[in-house]
Each structure stands twice: as structure tokens, then as C-alpha cells.
Amino acid sequence: MNVHEGIREVFEQASTHDDGETTMSHETARRATIRDVAAAAGVSAQTVSRVINGSTHVNPGTRAQVTRSIAELGYTPDVAAQNLARLKRSSSLGSTS
């Protein structure tokens, strides 16, 4: 599972409840961060990242709590931040003489 599939899966699970209603709202004054989700779920930001990225190394109960917190806070990933992190991981800028 790649990162985008993991994110899509988490948001599909988070956005629909048993009654079919969606709770992904953007009524908050500022955008929720991964740290906000972590605090609401009672886990670390790294655990939230693992859930979003589809890691299998997360307890199912913890995954459910993080998913609920994502839905309650209306968290959406910051694409610019993801791209910046990906750029930093993929290459080092420099010159050789």
C-alpha cells in the first residue's frame, strides 16, 4: 500500500459512521495538525503518521481511535508539507568540485 492509498483508506473510514453520516467538517478556525490528532487520540504524532501511511505496525484499537480523532477534528494532510518531506528524503542538494 502506498502513502496515497493509506491516506485515502483512513479518510474513507473516518468520514463515514454506521448511520451513513459524514463528519469531516472544516468549521474550525484553523486547520487541524497531526499533533492535534495525536493529542486527541492520546498517541504520538508518529503513531498518527503510521496510521495515515497504512503501516501494519499499529494496534487495531489504536488505529480506530486515531481514525475517530481524524474524523472529529476534520484533519486533512497538508500536501505542501508532504511534498517538502518527500523532497528532503529523495535527494540531497549539493555540488561536487
Side-chain angles (χ1 to χ4, degrees), residues 38-68:
V43 299
S44 70
Q46 180 61 43
T47 299
V48 175
S49 178
R50 286 185 182 117
V51 170
I52 290 170
N53 292 314
S55 173
T56 58
H57 301 290
V58 179
N59 178 289
T62 302
R63 181 179 301 279
Q65 182 58 40
V66 170
T67 302
R68 275 192 298 275

Side-chain angles (χ1 to χ4, degrees), residues 4-65:
H4 298 293
E5 290 170 344
I7 292 169
R8 183 176 33 245
E9 180 181 322
V10 167
F11 288 109
E12 286 171 358
Q13 291 172 1
S15 64
T16 305
H17 291 281
D18 294 334
D19 60 6
E21 289 189 32
T22 57
T23 59
M24 299 288 279
S25 67
H26 301 284
E27 297 175 6
T28 56
R30 70 173 181 89
R31 185 179 186 146
T33 67
I34 198 168
R35 288 188 178 101
D36 295 331
V37 173
V43 299
S44 70
Q46 180 61 43
T47 299
V48 175
S49 178
R50 286 185 182 117
V51 170
I52 290 170
N53 292 314
S55 173
T56 58
H57 301 290
V58 179
N59 178 289
T62 302
R63 181 179 301 279
Q65 182 58 40

